[in-house]
Amino acid sequence: MTRTPDFGEERMNEPKPSVRTEEDARIINAAVRAVKAECKGLQDLLSALGDGMGHVFADVVRLILSLQGRVILSGMGKSGHVARKIAATLASTGTPSFYVHPAEASHGDMGMITNKDAVLMISNSGETPELAPMIQYVRRRSIPLIAMTARANSALAKEADHTLLLPKSPEACSIGLAPTTSTTMQMALGDALAVTLAELKGLTKEEFHSFHPGGNLGALLQHLRDIMHTGKELPLAGPETPMREALLVMTGHRFGTLGIVDDKGRLIGIITDGDLRRAMEQNPDLLSRTTGEIMTKNPKTLPPDTLAVAALDFLNRNKITVVFVVDDADRPIGIVHVHDLLRLEGSGSA
């Protein structure tokens, strides 16, 4: 049996809040108990994946990879909400998928399911009556059926080709009835399925971008060529330019930096606000010097096909706020400020 990480009680760092009132203590303790119960459910799920369920999971992944059609998700109530989310996650990570409501399926939506598809039904009890017509439909047409349930002897499990059997971990609610821990395990297993399929398919950032053209996910997955400042917005000067003139170029732009280019237009150096402060301390006659004497050589640059999210990480790691974008000949063709990238990060919705 494969050993799995331990989320058990002995390693859980429970918060020790400063108690203002007894009511605060009761509220916080109830929240802690709920989170602990759901963590215990995830621990049980990890153990199940390390044991028999892992082999079923692998079979399900292989089945989905072999499909010519899509993965159809279905479920009722809270399991239905989870099914919708899993369908959306699968689709967004490169596995064509959508949700079919079991009640609507009985009124015409059954025709959305084809012989090239596979159906993944989620029901904690495995006895949800609304699922019965869809089960009968897929069985008659030999459409692969995957069950995600906590009961091995349920009607759904008995009809399924593959059963992802969830461990019987107590629900987090005080009466043990509201779907809480069970839906957390369903969600986590669905995420694991989507992530595994994406990894095996070799999902790239560019493909992910194509699935998320809008919102901040899509914005951060744009290329620098699409967002960089170009043309007259570039603060550039030659290496023989007097600093008196160079300062005018710098202040005439909003980037706090100046690119130094040679006679072939190649970027050979950079002067930043920080360079100026340090140079003024060491060179009282700074204004009589040239940019070539003050510049920092071999500045950090990025190519135009860099993703915005990668550029933001690059700036953070190098502790810089601006970067020139250069072509294959090291000629500056654009400039990007960290504020440009942060605006993308905060725009739209994921």
Side-chain angles (χ1 to χ4, degrees):
M1 178 173 176
T2 304
R3 186 177 180 276
T4 56
D6 188 359
F7 292 158
E9 295 184 10
E10 66 277 11
R11 293 195 180 183
M12 293 185 62
N13 297 318
E14 295 183 28
K16 299 294 190 295
S18 55
V19 178
R20 293 176 299 180
T21 66
E22 290 186 5
E23 183 181 51
D24 282 359
R26 289 196 299 272
I27 291 171
I28 295 170
N29 288 336
V32 169
R33 286 195 300 272
V35 173
K36 284 180 65 177
E38 300 207 0
C39 284
K40 176 61 166 57
L42 291 177
Q43 171 65 61
D44 293 341
L45 181 60
L46 276 173
S47 298
L49 279 168
D51 201 357
M53 191 214 282
H55 300 295
V56 179
F57 184 88
D59 290 339
V60 170
V61 168
R62 282 188 286 267
L63 167 63
I64 294 174
L65 287 173
S66 70
L67 288 179
Q68 294 180 320
R70 301 145 302 178
V71 181
I72 313 301
L73 275 290
S74 193
M76 278 295 295
K78 306 301 184 295
S79 293
H81 294 309
V82 173
R84 287 180 186 274
K85 190 273 178 187
I86 294 174
T89 302
L90 285 169
S92 74
T93 52
T95 300
S97 178
F98 63 86
Y99 172 80
V100 173
H101 194 289
E104 295 296 334
S106 295
H107 293 274
D109 283 1
M110 212 82 80
M112 301 168 74
I113 307 171
T114 74
N115 292 335
K116 295 181 179 181
D117 302 327
V119 175
L120 171 54
M121 291 187 180
I122 304 177
S123 170
N124 194 48
S125 69
E127 300 291 347
T128 307
E130 291 87 349
L131 294 177
M134 190 182 295
I135 293 174
Q136 295 170 10
Y137 179 88
V138 300
R139 292 294 73 189
R140 285 198 303 268
R141 288 162 177 76
S142 299
I143 297 170
L145 176 61
I146 306 161
M148 187 185 295
T149 181
R151 290 181 56 187
N153 62 346
S154 63
L156 175 58
K158 289 177 180 178
E159 292 294 334
D161 298 293
H162 305 284
T163 298
L164 295 168
L165 190 62
L166 296 170
K168 293 182 179 179
S169 195
E171 301 287 8
C173 76
S174 59
I175 59 174
L177 296 176
T180 46
T181 304
S182 59
T183 49
T184 296
M185 289 190 291
Q186 292 169 358
M187 192 81 75
L189 192 56
D191 285 344
L193 184 60
V195 168
T196 302
L197 288 164
E199 182 175 325
L200 293 177
K201 289 181 176 185
L203 179 71
T204 65
K205 290 180 179 179
E206 288 76 15
E207 289 172 324
F208 189 74
H209 180 202
S210 71
F211 303 140
H212 299 78
N216 58 351
L217 281 175
L220 279 172
L221 289 168
Q222 293 183 77
H223 294 98
L224 291 187
R225 68 167 64 91
D226 300 320
I227 62 174
M228 65 187 185
H229 302 272
T230 60
K232 293 181 179 180
E233 293 184 272
L234 298 183
L236 301 173
E240 302 301 323
T241 303
M243 284 303 300
R244 190 183 306 275
E245 295 179 19
L247 285 173
L248 293 176
V249 177
M250 284 187 70
T251 55
H253 296 76
R254 62 182 182 82
F255 301 106
T257 193
L258 179 70
I260 312 304
V261 294
D262 63 14
D263 55 0
K264 294 183 179 179
R266 295 174 299 194
L267 187 71
I268 58 173
I270 191 172
I271 298 175
T272 67
D273 287 338
D275 293 329
L276 286 178
R277 288 192 295 271
R278 288 185 289 272
M280 290 177 68
E281 294 174 359
Q282 301 169 10
N283 301 286
D285 60 339
L286 174 67
L287 295 182
S288 65
R289 310 292 291 274
T290 65
T291 55
E293 295 175 286
I294 303 299
M295 72 181 186
T296 298
K297 297 180 180 179
N298 302 315
K300 292 178 171 60
T301 61
L302 288 173
D305 59 352
T306 304
L307 292 176
V309 65
L312 182 58
D313 177 65
F314 176 85
L315 293 179
N316 288 333
R317 282 189 289 106
N318 288 283
K319 295 182 171 59
I320 56 178
T321 59
V322 66
V323 63
F324 277 97
V325 181
V326 299
D327 62 15
D328 293 338
D330 287 331
R331 293 173 301 213
I333 57 174
I335 189 170
V336 176
H337 195 281
V338 67
H339 291 163
D340 300 320
L341 302 172
L342 292 175
R343 276 193 292 271
L344 291 178
E345 187 178 42
S347 67
S349 58

